[in-house]
Amino acid sequence: QVELVESGGGVVQPGTSLRLSCAASGFFFSNYGMHWVRQAPGKGLECLAVIWYDGSKYYADSVKGRFIISRDNSKDTLYLQMNSLRGDDTAVYYCARGDDLLSLDYWGQGTLVTVSS
Amino acid sequence: EIVLTQSPGTLSLSPGQRASLSCRASQTVNSNSLAWFQQKPGQAPGLLIYAASSRAAGIPDRFAGSGSGTDFILTISRLEPEDFAVYYCQQYGTSPWTFGQGTKVEIK
């Protein structure tokens, strides 16, 4: 069965960096686009970044230039390198599998990132 | 980017009643690539509907999606206790993929 497990969240100070990981299993990882979606406390969902199966990437304006999405197909793992973190980056970060027909059909459980001094 | 506007913000209904949730796009959603997600407190969102009207695997038939172009509807025919949650629409026909702000369906 498909499983996505995020890790790497925690409490960090403003201006610092953090790397999130998403370990995938149960499907051919390299065949799918993979997404990071975040949800600030009490707020809605925001698509942050996507890396397609061909390696092309797209970022939301809110994180462009600060966050980097990458993948290691040999390890079935998705990453999000987050730099220059700000208070408004505080959120639960989800990874999700993307499909052109099904949209985001599988999600991880999320990992909480808190940016605070 | 395509902006999705959901209405109402909150829907107060009783179990057994019918719920109708609206999602309006700022421009045409390509190929009717519109999905609906359900999110309960403390949980990740779960896919309900894709391609505007197709139910995801395991989703009961009381959930139905309809619409095309810029106007979409999620209907829950008879609310069960487990259906009280927040619902999000999302378009995936044009990059960047975007979500609506959500509709909370609460128990009246």
Side-chain angles (χ1 to χ4, degrees):
Chain A
Q1 69 281 16
V2 173
E3 190 171 20
L4 299 171
V5 179
E6 302 96 337
S7 60
V11 180
V12 296
Q13 293 191 332
T16 61
S17 298
L18 199 62
R19 188 176 84 157
L20 305 182
S21 300
C22 170
S25 60
F27 65 102
F28 289 107
F29 180 75
S30 59
N31 285 0
Y32 286 86
M34 295 298 298
H35 300 246
W36 287 101
V37 178
R38 73 180 176 186
Q39 187 170 38
K43 303 297 184 182
L45 300 167
E46 179 186 17
C47 290
L48 285 185
V50 54
I51 182 166
W52 299 107
Y53 57 87
D54 63 359
S56 59
K57 305 172 187 180
Y58 182 88
Y59 297 94
D61 287 344
S62 58
V63 303
K64 196 176 297 182
R66 298 189 300 126
F67 289 11
I68 300 171
I69 190 171
S70 62
R71 64 193 298 163
D72 185 338
N73 290 338
S74 69
K75 295 182 178 179
D76 291 350
T77 302
L78 174 72
Y79 301 100
L80 186 68
Q81 177 67 42
M82 304 187 294
N83 301 319
S84 304
L85 283 162
R86 313 185 302 221
D88 60 359
D89 294 319
T90 294
V92 175
Y93 286 72
Y94 297 100
C95 65
R97 188 178 85 167
D99 184 278
D100 287 345
L101 176 63
L102 298 173
S103 180
L104 301 170
D105 58 348
Y106 288 94
W107 296 62
Q109 84 288 351
T111 187
L112 176 63
V113 174
T114 302
V115 183
S116 174
S117 55
Chain B
E1 71 177 43
I2 295 179
V3 176
L4 300 178
T5 302
Q6 293 186 240
S7 61
T10 302
L11 202 50
S12 298
L13 296 168
S14 300
Q17 286 192 294
R18 181 185 185 93
S20 184
L21 287 64
S22 172
C23 176
R24 178 161 289 177
S26 60
Q27 55 189 280
T28 297
V29 176
N30 287 340
S31 305
N32 287 335
S33 295
L34 193 287
W36 290 92
F37 295 85
Q38 178 193 68
Q39 187 178 34
K40 298 178 181 179
Q43 296 184 15
L47 179 65
L48 289 175
I49 301 289
Y50 65 93
S53 60
S54 296
R55 276 186 298 276
I59 300 303
D61 60 8
R62 65 179 181 272
F63 291 92
S66 61
S68 64
T70 60
D71 291 290
F72 300 88
I73 300 287
L74 174 68
T75 302
I76 311 172
S77 59
R78 295 173 312 279
L79 282 164
E80 298 287 342
E82 62 268 28
D83 300 336
F84 291 91
V86 179
Y87 293 84
Y88 294 94
C89 61
Q90 183 238 356
Q91 69 80 24
Y92 55 104
T94 300
S95 289
W97 294 9
T98 49
F99 286 94
Q101 82 280 17
T103 290
K104 182 179 182 180
V105 178
E106 65 176 22
I107 299 176
K108 186 173 182 180

